[in-house]
Amino acid sequence: MLKNPATKYRPFAPVHLKDRTWPDAVITKPPVWCSVDLRDGNQALIEPMDMERKLRMFKTLVEIGFKEIEIGFPSASQIEFDFTRRLIEEDLIPEDVTVQVLTQAREHLVRRTFESLKGVRRAIVHLYNATAPVMREVVLGMSEDEIVALARSNAQLFKDIAAQYPETDWVFEYSPEMYSDTELAFSKRVVDAVTEVWQPTPEKKCIINLPTTVEHSTPNIFADMVEWTGRNLLRRDAIVLSVHPHNDRGTGTATAELALMAGADRLEGCLFGNGERTGNLDIVNVALNMYIQGVDPELDFSHIDEIKRTVEHCNQLPVHPRHPYVGELVFTSFSGSHQDAIKKAFNARKEGDIWDMPYLPIDPKDLGRSYEAVIRVNSQSGKGGISYLLESEYKVVLPRKLQIEFSQVVQKTMDSEGTELTAKDIWTIFQQEFRLEETAPSYQLGGDGAQTSIEATIRKSGAAAKVTGHGEGPIDAFVHALSQATGRDVRVLDYAEHAVGAGANAQAMAYVEVSVDDIHAWGVGSNPNIVTASIKAILSGLERAGVDLRALQGEAATAS
């Protein structure tokens, strides 16, 4: 890279629109959306779509709710022409959908384009020619007057040919290609020449499309360009002002949003931003950005994963895992602090509340996605993520201090293995750590009402031992029995329990923090009976505190 890039690259000149109004504008309604996946997106593919993929993409766009769909470049190849004919001849275009086709400003291409549309109910025919200085002077070798004459003559050709097909409702669209690099005054001159030929009216509008063919400026400068153009074009009330952003600087979404604020009525783009070089405007981004501002985009992305699968199949290109709203990982938090905040917010949220969740700008369920992948656990994760997965997948609600203790157990596994842990992996560690699968001791309770007595048989590794004790309840009595049997100071410091499931299949989960000679540890027990679950939890805690129950049972067995 150059130490002084100014010797090779020049900054984009600002518009100096001193009285700009767009910075104070608010987007309160969706634009007219036009998908160009089947044309601009398709011509950018390594392997363009075959007929089956084209039909699948078209049907998906219709299902999403697009009312304007650019279906191809019929004069470019036979498959483009044939696809256009098939949609028309097989009556595959819904009544409320208008198809669009593109043609360069060359007479034989224009005639071929109109030929492909014969019999269509309604269509947008999109004309373009290059207007930027580098194209005029270097590529085409044409003067400004010649560029204007070219645009005017082809606009007249549009009008003349369309008159031969009065059964079709024609809509004309014009793009000064490379508008983003064209002098504003010259763009106005060319567009005004085209609309002078077409003579649109407020009742019968034409579309003027302003493409950022190559994105060179910051989005605010493009917004100034759009506002200036909207103010200065002749016949503005008879024009649908459209923009077609590209993403060379990575700011296509911002360019589109600021253009809408600057007065654009219509957006052209592709699902997930497919297109030449760095891609076209990502319509999904803009639509869902509106949605999370409370604006109905009038496009339905309720089944975003299914749409993603279709686009990946048709384009034969993957959608990036960090892609906003649809990427595999965009609703996933690995960070411990993030996970803890999300878990707390989910616990506090009530159905019907305004969505106000840390790190989640949109409810994944609105897009047909589950909460399963919202939190995933790796070496960066903490107690919040671990407890969230146990709660969401297995309905196990850990007390906060137990969350801290168990997260350290999981962290050791993460540090040794270095891979992501699924909810199933964590559940397996949980079962093993707290010995949930071990057989519950058998016991009998008695007492005179004031005191509870217990006689329990503890089995471990094939040996069995009886312990007895009494206390103010079953748990207190069992702790007393264990203190006598071990000769150590066993206490219960904290206790929690809840049910998992309901009815005949319900299980009680008991969580007990025990102290053994000032060594603290949590134990967990599970059983349909809450007393049994609590007894298992106490034994689990004792073993985790370092008590060898096999030695206890050996001494008790000998004594008996």
Side-chain angles (χ1 to χ4, degrees):
M1 294 177 65
L2 301 175
K3 292 296 183 183
N4 182 15
T7 61
K8 186 172 183 178
Y9 301 98
R10 61 177 178 268
F12 200 92
V15 177
H16 300 299
L17 190 67
K18 299 300 184 184
D19 58 343
R20 62 181 62 84
T21 62
W22 63 262
D24 294 322
V26 177
I27 299 172
T28 58
K29 63 179 182 178
V32 177
W33 304 104
C34 179
S35 161
V36 296
D37 290 88
L38 287 163
R39 196 277 302 172
D40 200 355
N42 184 46
Q43 71 184 41
L45 299 178
I46 300 168
E47 181 180 329
M49 298 180 212
D50 56 22
M51 191 70 75
E52 178 273 328
R53 286 184 168 85
K54 282 176 173 288
L55 285 171
R56 181 170 173 181
M57 178 68 83
F58 180 77
K59 290 175 181 176
T60 296
L61 295 170
V62 169
E63 290 168 359
I64 290 170
F66 285 96
K67 302 305 178 187
E68 295 184 1
I69 301 173
E70 189 170 76
I71 57 174
F73 203 145
S75 63
S77 68
Q78 191 62 44
I79 188 172
E80 297 284 287
F81 187 95
D82 291 344
F83 178 64
T84 304
R85 295 307 310 154
R86 182 169 179 180
L87 290 180
I88 296 167
E89 292 169 4
E90 296 184 13
D91 196 23
L92 299 175
I93 305 168
E95 287 190 10
D96 63 345
V97 172
T98 301
V99 294
Q100 174 175 309
V101 293
L102 182 72
T103 179
Q104 209 171 0
R106 298 173 65 184
E107 182 174 350
H108 70 286
L109 301 180
V110 172
R111 292 188 181 280
R112 178 70 167 166
T113 300
F114 275 93
E115 181 186 347
S116 74
L117 292 168
K118 185 176 181 179
V120 72
R121 176 189 53 79
R122 187 172 191 266
I124 300 168
V125 192
H126 185 179
L127 173 70
Y128 76 95
N129 65 285
T131 57
V134 68
M135 298 298 289
R136 298 193 310 256
E137 298 162 9
V138 178
V139 178
L140 301 175
M142 297 175 70
S143 67
E144 290 186 7
D145 289 347
E146 288 172 320
I147 293 291
V148 173
L150 177 66
R152 186 190 296 273
S153 63
N154 278 274
Q156 185 62 52
L157 184 62
F158 262 47
K159 197 171 180 178
D160 294 343
I161 298 175
Q164 299 172 21
Y165 303 96
E167 71 279 6
T168 296
D169 179 11
W170 298 106
V171 179
F172 296 157
E173 176 175 354
Y174 174 70
S175 287
E177 191 196 12
M178 297 189 74
Y179 162 83
S180 51
D181 289 298
T182 303
E183 310 94 320
L184 286 175
F186 185 62
S187 293
K188 167 181 160 53
R189 181 185 172 194
V190 177
V191 170
D192 285 346
V194 169
T195 60
E196 183 181 20
V197 173
W198 285 344
Q199 287 297 307
T201 67
E203 295 73 34
K204 178 72 174 172
K205 295 184 179 184
C206 71
I207 300 169
I208 297 301
N209 186 57
L210 309 176
T212 53
T213 308
V214 180
E215 189 179 48
H216 285 310
S217 74
T218 53
N220 62 300
I221 292 178
F222 186 76
D224 281 349
M225 295 173 69
V226 172
E227 183 164 343
W228 186 96
T229 302
R231 289 185 192 182
N232 289 279
L233 286 180
L234 300 178
R235 293 168 280 275
R236 177 63 181 92
D237 63 344
I239 289 170
V240 174
L241 195 62
S242 176
V243 293
H244 184 125
H246 281 80
N247 198 43
D248 299 273
R249 301 177 81 252
T251 56
T253 296
T255 295
E257 292 177 333
L258 268 58
L260 291 178
M261 294 161 62
D265 308 305
R266 181 177 184 267
L267 292 181
E268 293 188 347
C270 289
L271 297 176
F272 312 127
N274 183 44
E276 292 276 16
R277 305 182 307 279
T278 57
N280 288 293
L281 167 68
D282 186 331
I283 283 183
V284 177
N285 275 8
V286 179
L288 292 178
N289 285 353
M290 289 181 189
Y291 181 79
I292 64 172
Q293 295 294 309
V295 176
D296 179 6
E298 298 178 4
L299 296 176
D300 185 3
F301 295 110
S302 298
H303 304 286
I304 197 78
D305 286 336
E306 183 178 333
I307 294 169
K308 174 189 170 186
R309 285 191 292 271
T310 294
V311 172
E312 289 181 327
H313 168 77
C314 293
N315 291 345
Q316 300 182 71
L317 292 172
V319 175
H320 196 281
R322 295 293 183 190
H323 186 285
Y325 298 112
V326 72
E328 179 187 351
L329 299 176
V330 296
F331 298 135
T332 300
S333 288
F334 290 102
S335 162
S337 60
H338 292 191
Q339 293 173 344
D340 187 57
I342 291 170
K343 179 180 181 295
K344 289 175 180 175
F346 266 124
N347 290 340
R349 187 174 187 276
K350 297 185 292 293
E351 191 64 34
D353 286 353
I354 289 292
W355 185 259
D356 186 16
M357 296 288 291
Y359 309 112
L360 291 173
I362 192 172
D363 187 347
K365 286 192 174 179
D366 287 355
L367 304 180
R369 299 182 70 170
S370 71
Y371 293 145
E372 181 178 351
V374 167
I375 289 177
R376 287 162 64 174
V377 173
N378 66 10
S379 60
Q380 304 300 308
S381 304
K383 62 184 183 302
I386 293 164
S387 58
Y388 172 86
L389 290 180
L390 288 177
E391 184 172 340
S392 61
E393 297 298 314
Y394 296 98
K395 312 307 178 189
V396 171
V397 184
L398 304 185
R400 182 168 178 79
K401 288 194 290 184
L402 177 52
Q403 292 177 24
I404 297 170
E405 189 169 314
F406 182 58
S407 70
Q408 295 169 355
V409 174
V410 175
Q411 190 67 46
K412 290 179 181 177
T413 301
M414 287 300 317
D415 291 342
S416 63
E417 297 184 4
T419 58
E420 180 187 348
L421 296 182
T422 66
K424 184 178 180 181
D425 295 331
I426 294 170
W427 176 243
T428 298
I429 295 171
F430 186 76
Q431 288 178 305
Q432 293 171 349
E433 178 69 19
F434 295 102
R435 303 158 176 84
L436 291 184
E437 299 300 319
E438 291 192 1
T439 304
S442 59
Y443 61 90
Q444 288 184 328
L445 299 176
D448 56 9
Q451 288 276 300
T452 299
S453 62
I454 188 169
E455 182 179 283
T457 301
I458 300 172
R459 294 176 174 82
K460 193 77 174 178
S461 303
K466 289 182 179 180
V467 296
T468 60
H470 61 274
E472 295 181 357
I475 293 176
D476 190 38
F478 188 58
V479 168
H480 179 255
L482 290 172
S483 293
Q484 287 187 315
T486 61
R488 302 177 71 176
D489 182 15
V490 179
R491 301 181 190 177
V492 169
L493 303 179
D494 201 355
Y495 174 85
E497 54 89 9
H498 65 83
V500 175
N505 295 322
Q507 289 277 319
M509 293 294 302
Y511 311 98
V512 177
E513 183 184 14
V514 299
S515 168
V516 182
D517 295 339
D518 295 326
I519 299 172
H520 296 189
W522 279 87
V524 180
S526 174
N527 192 269
N529 181 282
I530 184 58
V531 174
T532 305
S534 301
I535 288 174
K536 288 184 66 177
I538 293 169
L539 293 175
S540 166
L542 254 65
E543 289 198 274
R544 296 188 69 246
V547 175
D548 186 351
L549 294 181
R550 292 171 300 180
L552 161 71
Q553 291 159 353
E555 294 169 4
T558 301
S560 62

